Amino acid sequence: MAGAAGRGGCHTIRGAQIKELLQSKRNVLFDCDGVIWNGETAVTGAPEVVRLLKQQGKRVFFVTNNCTRPRENYVQKFSRLGFTDVAEEDIFSSAYCSAAYLRDVARVQGKVFVIGCYGVQKELLNAGVTMVEEDDDGPDVSIYDCPLDPDVKAVLVGYDEKFNFLKLAKACCYLRNSECLFLATDPDPWHPLRGGRVTPGSGSLTAALETASNRKATVIGKPGRFMFECIAGQFNLDPEQSLMVGDRLETDVLFGTNCGLSTMLTLTGVSTLKEAEEYKGSDSPEKKDSVPDYVVESITDFLEALEE
Amino acid sequence: MAGAAGRGGCHTIRGAQIKELLQSKRNVLFDCDGVIWNGETAVTGAPEVVRLLKQQGKRVFFVTNNCTRPRENYVQKFSRLGFTDVAEEDIFSSAYCSAAYLRDVARVQGKVFVIGCYGVQKELLNAGVTMVEEDDDGPDVSIYDCPLDPDVKAVLVGYDEKFNFLKLAKACCYLRNSECLFLATDPDPWHPLRGGRVTPGSGSLTAALETASNRKATVIGKPGRFMFECIAGQFNLDPEQSLMVGDRLETDVLFGTNCGLSTMLTLTGVSTLKEAEEYKGSDSPEKKDSVPDYVVESITDFLEALEE
């Protein structure tokens, strides 16, 4: 079977091989950014790929470390880009899963101090998790004398374009209490923007807080197993029946390996085939686990396999 | 001799032992925060200790990772706290030494993008290093479309209470150019404030940028050797004739060890005797090198040795 034969093999596959692989799987998990779309542009054929997979009885899930949108906005984006059949239940973002973790696993009794964007805040609100109200701190408010909320029992860090020194310092003070939980939505260090620019990811902001607090965050997103457990818990997934398709070796592929899934790298995003091949020759177990079983140029390549 | 006998011994010493140690040294290097003063309060007797050391022919230097003040403001602070005989030339801050590095070692031809406070900016100005003019970025300016200066040839990160996402993102974009230098004033992860609060240090902000840029900063401050090289270059210091007195094991004591100085931990600041003793039993070479030769409760204990 293609799945077993290919483990960590970094095999570039096409048409009939993709068909054989998909026939051996019931579930397909896609990362979004760099896989399904780039910014506001869908990868060519991606809406049709998702439609055909569903039509052929596959269960399709979207597993993204991108915490900027709540599930309901992801549904809107899918629809806007031509995906006609994606529902909220199919979408597992690091924001949604962080809220699930706080509510169902940590069962936080108290408030959460959030460094994060609208997507994070909205998912926590949807989950009924209580947050510290965001102050509109003026320029004269400082860590020397600002109020700190004694009910804070967890700090959650995600992507936040309004990140600033005072938020970092407050979080740092909350984490002085060793009983205060320290969570991060995802470990992504940076994200590509247009024109060769980059933007710092949640992992960058988390690194600042880890250093300042001398603590390590519990990271919810890929490559950790928790997002797969969220999906598996709701949909009773068998890892051996599941394929993870992503564009980042250290998050998507490693996540797949960590969860016992077959893994596929698609080259429409961040990581390159060269990097994957270098990792194959590496001595580091983590890098070896980040080598995909399969490689495709683009999920456009699924079309040929699905239409035959 | 006390100096050789005590190497990494973590010996608590008093009166006659301190006297013997000081007699064997020509130069005494003091850290400032937690050693000479805490906030705006001098450690008891510290001004007298400095005066007596100088009177007895010692050369006294202040070696601080604190980059918030330029040298001229340190002189004012010393004076305000009762130190009557401290001159600019005696003070080596991470801001001063970062400026010296940029001018004399890196010889940067172009502009420096600075994440840092007044102390850093003023020292660069004093050294004639060209900086990117600080924009007063409004709330609508974002990394997606803000201007980036093509003349930036170095990024310097120091303590910055005005640190924000946009500064981090801009720095990250500049560092995409592998020829752009990446410097940090110091590695301090956090600093204690009154009332049990803490504030993130330069090391925290640097960690964010290191993660987002996938690069490592060249760190100017302790425990790196560069600050000692700055002093030694100007004053021709013999390491064996020099004692480093500090309150942080991982910066001050390790710095002393790295530079071949005798080292003394004073317990008026961050690190504790318990931590020093734990490090003594550690397998980590870095922790072993962070064990002081000597320990005093406070530099107040020097008075008895100096007045006898």
Side-chain angles (χ1 to χ4, degrees):
Chain A
M1 194 195 75
R7 177 60 70 199
C10 206
H11 294 303
T12 299
I13 59 173
R14 296 191 55 88
Q17 294 160 302
I18 297 176
K19 188 172 186 174
E20 188 192 357
L21 173 63
L22 291 174
Q23 279 171 348
S24 74
K25 302 294 177 191
R26 176 145 191 242
N27 313 300
V28 183
L29 286 66
F30 288 108
D31 177 37
C32 295
D33 296 306
V35 176
I36 291 289
W37 56 53
N38 278 295
E40 280 294 318
T41 310
V43 165
T44 309
E48 185 68 358
V49 167
V50 171
R51 195 185 63 75
L52 288 169
L53 284 169
K54 290 200 168 195
Q55 200 179 73
Q56 297 183 14
K58 308 297 178 193
R59 297 190 299 186
V60 177
F61 301 99
F62 301 93
V63 192
T64 175
N65 275 356
N66 186 325
C67 62
T68 57
R69 290 180 170 81
R71 274 177 147 189
E72 56 267 33
N73 291 27
Y74 270 112
V75 170
Q76 292 165 2
K77 176 164 182 176
F78 274 105
S79 173
R80 194 164 65 235
L81 299 193
F83 299 79
T84 53
D85 45 6
V86 176
E88 281 195 24
E89 309 85 78
D90 307 334
I91 302 161
F92 289 80
S93 75
S94 61
Y96 170 79
C97 294
S98 294
Y101 184 94
L102 286 163
R103 184 191 56 201
D104 303 332
V105 181
R107 296 181 187 179
V108 170
Q109 305 291 318
K111 294 181 193 167
V112 180
F113 180 76
V114 177
I115 292 175
C117 49
Y118 171 70
V120 177
Q121 287 162 353
K122 187 61 171 34
E123 288 292 4
L124 263 61
L125 199 67
N126 290 352
V129 175
T130 312
M131 286 167 278
V132 178
E133 297 230 1
E134 213 178 347
D135 302 325
D136 199 5
D137 293 318
D140 297 333
V141 178
S142 84
I143 191 57
Y144 302 95
D145 54 13
C146 66
L148 292 172
D149 192 319
D151 291 335
V152 168
K153 298 289 188 281
V155 169
L156 172 62
V157 182
Y159 183 78
D160 185 358
E161 295 187 355
K162 291 182 180 162
F163 183 72
N164 62 30
F165 190 86
L166 187 56
K167 287 187 185 184
L168 176 64
K170 283 180 177 177
C172 195
C173 290
Y174 289 128
L175 290 175
R176 297 281 283 177
N177 174 359
S178 61
E179 289 179 8
C180 180
L181 287 178
F182 181 11
L183 296 186
T185 55
D186 68 89
D188 289 8
W190 53 273
H191 301 281
L193 300 179
R194 276 175 300 185
R197 292 194 178 190
V198 291
T199 187
S202 309
S204 165
L205 312 186
T206 304
L209 187 51
E210 287 188 333
T211 300
S213 66
N214 196 27
R215 291 181 55 175
K216 281 283 167 194
T218 298
V219 183
I220 297 300
K222 299 172 284 185
R225 293 176 45 90
F226 184 70
M227 289 177 81
F228 184 72
E229 288 163 11
C230 273
I231 309 174
Q234 290 178 31
F235 292 92
N236 195 25
L237 294 206
D238 176 359
E240 293 199 358
Q241 291 275 314
S242 307
L243 172 69
M244 173 70 209
V245 185
D247 73 312
R248 277 183 113 135
L249 299 170
E250 297 86 348
T251 47
D252 300 320
V253 176
L254 185 56
F255 166 77
T257 305
N258 286 341
C259 299
L261 321 178
S262 290
T263 56
M264 181 186 280
L265 176 70
T266 173
L267 300 175
T268 46
V270 170
S271 296
T272 63
L273 181 57
K274 186 160 169 278
E275 287 167 324
E277 282 169 349
E278 282 169 6
Y279 280 19
K280 205 174 164 183
S282 160
D283 290 333
S284 146
E286 188 170 296
K287 286 193 173 170
K288 275 208 184 303
D289 284 348
S290 303
V291 179
D293 304 333
Y294 308 103
V295 181
V296 295
E297 281 294 322
S298 160
I299 64 164
T300 314
D301 296 354
F302 282 33
L303 279 181
E304 192 187 338
L306 291 166
E307 285 170 344
E308 267 170 25
Chain B
M1 194 192 80
R7 178 58 71 196
C10 204
H11 294 301
T12 300
I13 59 173
R14 294 192 56 89
Q17 294 159 300
I18 297 177
K19 185 171 187 174
E20 186 190 359
L21 174 62
L22 292 175
Q23 279 171 347
S24 73
K25 302 294 175 192
R26 173 142 193 244
N27 314 300
V28 183
L29 285 66
F30 288 108
D31 177 38
C32 294
D33 295 307
V35 176
I36 290 287
W37 55 55
N38 276 296
E40 279 293 318
T41 310
V43 163
T44 310
E48 186 68 0
V49 166
V50 171
R51 193 184 62 77
L52 288 169
L53 282 169
K54 291 199 167 195
Q55 201 177 75
Q56 296 182 15
K58 309 295 177 194
R59 295 190 299 185
V60 177
F61 301 98
F62 301 93
V63 191
T64 175
N65 276 355
N66 187 325
C67 62
T68 58
R69 290 182 170 79
R71 274 178 148 187
E72 56 265 34
N73 290 28
Y74 270 112
V75 170
Q76 291 165 2
K77 176 164 181 176
F78 273 107
S79 172
R80 194 163 67 235
L81 299 193
F83 298 79
T84 52
D85 44 8
V86 176
E88 281 194 25
E89 307 86 75
D90 306 336
I91 302 162
F92 290 79
S93 75
S94 61
Y96 171 79
C97 293
S98 295
Y101 184 92
L102 286 164
R103 184 190 56 202
D104 303 330
V105 181
R107 295 180 190 182
V108 170
Q109 305 290 319
K111 294 181 192 168
V112 180
F113 181 75
V114 177
I115 293 175
C117 49
Y118 171 71
V120 177
Q121 288 162 353
K122 188 60 172 34
E123 288 292 5
L124 264 61
L125 198 68
N126 291 352
V129 175
T130 312
M131 287 167 277
V132 178
E133 295 233 0
E134 214 177 348
D135 301 325
D136 199 5
D137 293 319
D140 297 332
V141 178
S142 83
I143 191 58
Y144 302 94
D145 55 13
C146 65
L148 292 173
D149 192 319
D151 292 334
V152 168
K153 298 289 187 282
V155 169
L156 172 62
V157 182
Y159 183 78
D160 184 359
E161 295 186 357
K162 291 182 180 162
F163 183 72
N164 62 30
F165 190 86
L166 187 56
K167 286 187 187 185
L168 176 63
K170 283 181 178 177
C172 197
C173 289
Y174 289 128
L175 290 175
R176 298 280 282 176
N177 175 357
S178 61
E179 289 180 8
C180 181
L181 288 178
F182 181 11
L183 295 186
T185 55
D186 68 272
D188 289 8
W190 53 271
H191 301 279
L193 301 178
R194 276 174 300 185
R197 293 194 177 190
V198 291
T199 188
S202 309
S204 165
L205 312 186
T206 304
L209 187 52
E210 288 188 330
T211 300
S213 67
N214 196 29
R215 291 182 54 176
K216 283 282 168 195
T218 298
V219 183
I220 297 299
K222 299 172 283 184
R225 293 176 46 90
F226 184 71
M227 288 175 80
F228 184 73
E229 288 163 11
C230 273
I231 309 174
Q234 290 178 30
F235 292 93
N236 194 23
L237 294 206
D238 176 0
E240 293 199 359
Q241 290 274 315
S242 306
L243 171 69
M244 173 71 210
V245 185
D247 74 313
R248 278 182 114 137
L249 299 171
E250 297 87 347
T251 45
D252 300 320
V253 175
L254 185 55
F255 166 77
T257 305
N258 285 341
C259 301
L261 320 178
S262 291
T263 58
M264 179 185 280
L265 177 69
T266 173
L267 300 174
T268 45
V270 170
S271 298
T272 65
L273 182 55
K274 186 161 168 279
E275 287 166 323
E277 282 168 348
E278 281 168 10
Y279 281 17
K280 206 175 163 182
S282 161
D283 289 333
S284 147
E286 187 169 298
K287 285 192 175 173
K288 275 208 185 300
D289 283 348
S290 302
V291 178
D293 304 332
Y294 308 102
V295 182
V296 295
E297 281 294 322
S298 159
I299 63 163
T300 313
D301 296 355
F302 281 34
L303 278 181
E304 194 188 337
L306 291 166
E307 285 170 341
E308 265 172 23

